[in-house]
Amino acid sequence: MAAHRLVVASLLLCCLAQICYGKVLFSSLKRTLDVTASPKQGQVLLSGVDKISGTWALNKTFPAGTDSSYKTIKLKLCYAHISQLDRAWRKTVDDLSKDKTCQHKMVAMPYDAANKTVHTFEWLIERDVPQATYFVRAYAFDANDVQVAYGQSTNANKSSNLFEINAISGRHASLDIASVCFSAFSVLSLGVFFYIEKRKGKSQKQ
Amino acid sequence: MADIEGSPGSSMHGVTGREQTFISSVASPMVPTDTTAKFALPVDSEHKSKVFKLFSLANPHMRTFHLSWISFFTCFVSTFAAAPLVPIIRDNLNLTKADVGNAGVASVSGSIFSRLTMGAVCDLLGPRYGCAFLIMLTAPTVFCMSFVEDAAGYIAVRFMIGFSLATFVSCQYWMSTMFNSKIIGLVNGTAAGWGNMGGGATQLIMPLVYELIRRCGATPFTAWRIAFFIPGWLHVIMGILVLTLGQDLPDGNLGALQKKGNVAKDKFTKVLWYAITNYRTWVFALLYGYSMGVELTTDNVIAEYFYDRFDLKLHTAGIIAASFGMANLVARPFGGYASDLAARLFGMRGRLWTLWILQTLGGVFCIWLGRANTLPIAVLSMILFSVGAQAACGATFGIIPFISRRSLGIISGLTGAGGNFGSGLTQLVFFSSSKFSTSTGLSLMGAMIVACTLPVTLVHFPQWGSMFFPPSKEISEEHYYTSEWNEDEVQKGLHQSSLKFAENSKSERGKRVASAATPPNTTPTH
């Protein structure tokens, strides 16, 4: 009897856990956060040099208690549609566990329901951010680190307030020089060996 | 066993005289040992080794083997070095899927042409210089990766690095100067398989090197460029080792090689004619495109596939991708062995069935790989696919030596080119467009493998039969191999080596050898 109860209890627990850790669909999230970002439409920023700043706040039109489960706000840099073309590794998928739209974490901040002011953030664009067109999105996470709401700096179609980031090339003068040196060494040493052996061959024949 | 005295096969017990044998040493009565020569290994009259001692570094034979296969391995490492790093490179260079796919096509296309030139270079300069020239002149192309800034540059550099795969030719050529023809099959097969492993090893090496460099403080977009110095240095090191430690001939003398007559005694145009007019050449070129070709394609796409589909870390995806290429260590020799075993029981028909079964199974597992939604199933299907495809490569070269005796060199070359062509084609069709996902591409490629393996059912050897038809009773091995020579040439007796080969190839009758007692004094009619 006790064993039977244990099985039922654990099954129930698993089901509840499944509800907690199950698939979260983006379409099920409400856009309760207002997010703004400093770059204007079409502005070009440099990675490693420029900063993205902005604000986020809970939209006051939502009833009180909407934000009761929010524990953390994470701001992410997301690809605009034009940068997702022909690049399946940046695809937008409704299932958030498979969604690849927002691959760059900017800032994470704790959420305090009592503090209703507008929060600001600032982030230096890291040097591993690729050349692309972006917008900013904020996800609200609950205590189990599951997304419960979002907000973004662009419209629902993801067509306004998009900005570009110019990436670093990754090239360095020192790398280029090293590359040329090793290449020259390779070709020269081949030539030298060949020449020496030809000369040895000739002198042996004599 | 054949008891009739002098009947063909009675004195040649165990010896088949074909290239792809899996014996590792030749006993003295068959090939006499030159006892005056002072080498670490027993040698024949040309001072070629009669024994294949894997773990020896004896100069010059085994040393040549190791230098040769490691050079080929190095070229595979550098040709496929970009593949596991594509997730980083595509962000740095702003590549689209088409760019990534085209670069993959470029990486295997270059060698189609360089392999053809390599044969001539080996004839002129010897295999040691052929290998050293290629490996040291392609080192700058590897270092060039640090300059690449866009898709065009990336594709161009991968194309140039791909030229280095012609070391395959110098590798096989060099071994044939060092090892007796009775064991050359195993030697060349082992060298080819171990060289191919480089495509797997690189998927392991490059992400690890990249991680290490990143931990030392470099940004990702710089770290991958620095990582390319490793294959570049390997090129230079191997080139220097080949030049300092290697020698062209067992006796060390390059000049003698040219006097001895590596100059073709046969007319090139004739040899080419008999190769291209034999339909079997084209069937096997197509088939090899769907065993070796898909292996090369998978080397290029699989790491990125696992990274994207299953959200793995770069080095985890690399480890999984590496196991695909590393299976070559045993899978390719296994294919050759299975082919030999089938030949012993069923003759050439067994070889054809073995090839069809292995390659079709490879295709089926490839379809499964594309459909797999969980990581364990994907890894399992990938490993089974790799064994199927690589064993099929080994089995293909169990049949190639029998297509023609006169044009064997060119047919092997055309088959190899077919492999690279198949790789380029599959990458272009299945992995360069955004119309369908990579997983769909894999399944479609698997379906194409199954379809393109069907032509093997059409291959018919009149003396041995085909998959569905028995041999014809009137045509013998001699008839088949002599048909490549015209009346004049036969009059001059140029066809003698083909006759000898025909004699030895009777082993492809399978268990019927003993009962094939032709009267010893019959000269085949032409």
Side-chain angles (χ1 to χ4, degrees), chain A residues 86-87 89-90 100 127-128 130-131 168-172 175-176 179 182-183 185-186 189 193-194 197, chain B residues 90-92 94-95 97 128-129 136 139-140 143 146-147 149 219 221-222 225 233 244 308 311 434:
Chain A
D86 290 327
R87 293 175 177 90
W89 53 90
R90 294 178 183 170
K100 303 269 174 77
R127 287 182 296 163
D128 64 351
Q131 169 91 25
I168 58 163
S169 70
R171 287 181 57 188
H172 278 279
L175 263 186
D176 293 345
S179 186
F182 283 116
S183 305
F185 172 72
S186 181
S189 52
F193 263 106
F194 194 62
E197 286 212 3
Chain B
R90 67 190 180 194
D91 275 344
N92 188 185
N94 204 12
L95 304 177
K97 186 167 182 188
R128 177 172 144 254
Y129 268 120
M136 291 185 92
F143 290 120
S146 59
F147 293 106
E149 276 194 318
T219 54
F221 293 171
T222 306
R225 293 166 190 277
W233 288 334
T244 52
D308 287 333
D311 293 317
S434 287

Side-chain angles (χ1 to χ4, degrees), chain A residues 125-146:
Chain A
I125 304 175
E126 276 164 21
R127 287 182 296 163
D128 64 351
V129 171
Q131 169 91 25
T133 309
Y134 296 90
F135 62 93
V136 176
R137 181 180 284 173
Y139 282 111
F141 288 82
D142 67 9
N144 294 321
D145 213 27
V146 173

Side-chain angles (χ1 to χ4, degrees), chain B residues 374-440:
Chain B
T374 59
L375 187 60
I377 301 283
V379 173
L380 176 68
S381 54
M382 183 199 73
I383 291 178
L384 292 171
F385 165 43
S386 75
V387 173
Q390 289 158 11
C393 290
T396 307
F397 275 91
I399 300 174
I400 301 275
F402 295 101
I403 299 176
S404 157
R405 188 72 194 93
R406 192 173 185 185
S407 310
L408 175 59
I410 294 202
I411 293 179
S412 300
L414 282 171
T415 307
N420 279 53
F421 180 76
S423 178
L425 186 68
T426 47
Q427 283 181 84
L428 193 63
V429 172
F430 300 122
F431 300 105
S432 300
S433 115
S434 287
K435 282 201 212 111
F436 42 80
S437 63
T438 307
S439 53
T440 310

Side-chain angles (χ1 to χ4, degrees), chain B residues 132-168:
Chain B
F133 259 84
L134 185 61
I135 208 173
M136 291 185 92
L137 290 180
T138 45
T141 63
V142 182
F143 290 120
C144 262
M145 267 297 190
S146 59
F147 293 106
V148 164
E149 276 194 318
D150 59 10
Y154 177 62
I155 293 172
V157 172
R158 285 206 72 183
F159 179 71
M160 290 193 291
I161 299 178
F163 283 132
S164 65
L165 286 184
T167 30
F168 174 70

Side-chain angles (χ1 to χ4, degrees), chain B residues 66-133:
Chain B
H66 291 294
L67 280 175
S68 206
W69 82 260
I70 297 178
S71 308
F72 186 38
F73 179 94
T74 304
C75 293
F76 250 91
V77 167
S78 60
T79 303
F80 293 101
L85 296 179
V86 163
I88 312 295
I89 300 176
R90 67 190 180 194
D91 275 344
N92 188 185
L93 305 178
N94 204 12
L95 304 177
T96 61
K97 186 167 182 188
D99 295 328
V100 175
N102 287 338
V105 175
S107 66
V108 296
S109 316
S111 67
I112 294 179
F113 310 105
S114 62
R115 281 183 184 192
L116 299 173
T117 328
M118 192 51 150
V121 172
C122 285
D123 278 333
L124 282 171
L125 297 172
R128 177 172 144 254
Y129 268 120
C131 180
F133 259 84

Side-chain angles (χ1 to χ4, degrees), chain A residues 85-201:
Chain A
L85 285 175
D86 290 327
R87 293 175 177 90
W89 53 90
R90 294 178 183 170
K91 213 163 115 170
T92 298
V93 175
D94 206 25
D95 179 356
L96 281 175
S97 65
K98 293 202 163 73
D99 181 44
K100 303 269 174 77
T101 322
C102 304
Q103 291 184 25
H104 303 279
K105 288 198 190 70
M106 291 164 67
V107 194
M109 297 167 134
Y111 185 81
D112 181 7
N115 186 345
K116 298 283 185 210
T117 58
V118 171
H119 300 85
T120 59
F121 65 87
E122 196 179 59
W123 183 67
L124 175 67
I125 304 175
E126 276 164 21
R127 287 182 296 163
D128 64 351
V129 171
Q131 169 91 25
T133 309
Y134 296 90
F135 62 93
V136 176
R137 181 180 284 173
Y139 282 111
F141 288 82
D142 67 9
N144 294 321
D145 213 27
V146 173
Q147 297 94 332
V148 285
Y150 80 99
Q152 58 193 26
S153 66
T154 180
N155 58 16
N157 272 346
K158 297 187 282 184
S159 54
S160 65
N161 288 337
L162 304 173
F163 54 94
E164 246 186 82
I165 294 181
N166 274 353
I168 58 163
S169 70
R171 287 181 57 188
H172 278 279
S174 53
L175 263 186
D176 293 345
I177 294 172
S179 186
V180 171
C181 286
F182 283 116
S183 305
F185 172 72
S186 181
V187 177
L188 280 173
S189 52
L190 177 69
V192 165
F193 263 106
F194 194 62
Y195 177 68
I196 292 178
E197 286 212 3
K198 281 279 160 193
R199 265 229 320 221
K200 238 200 265 173

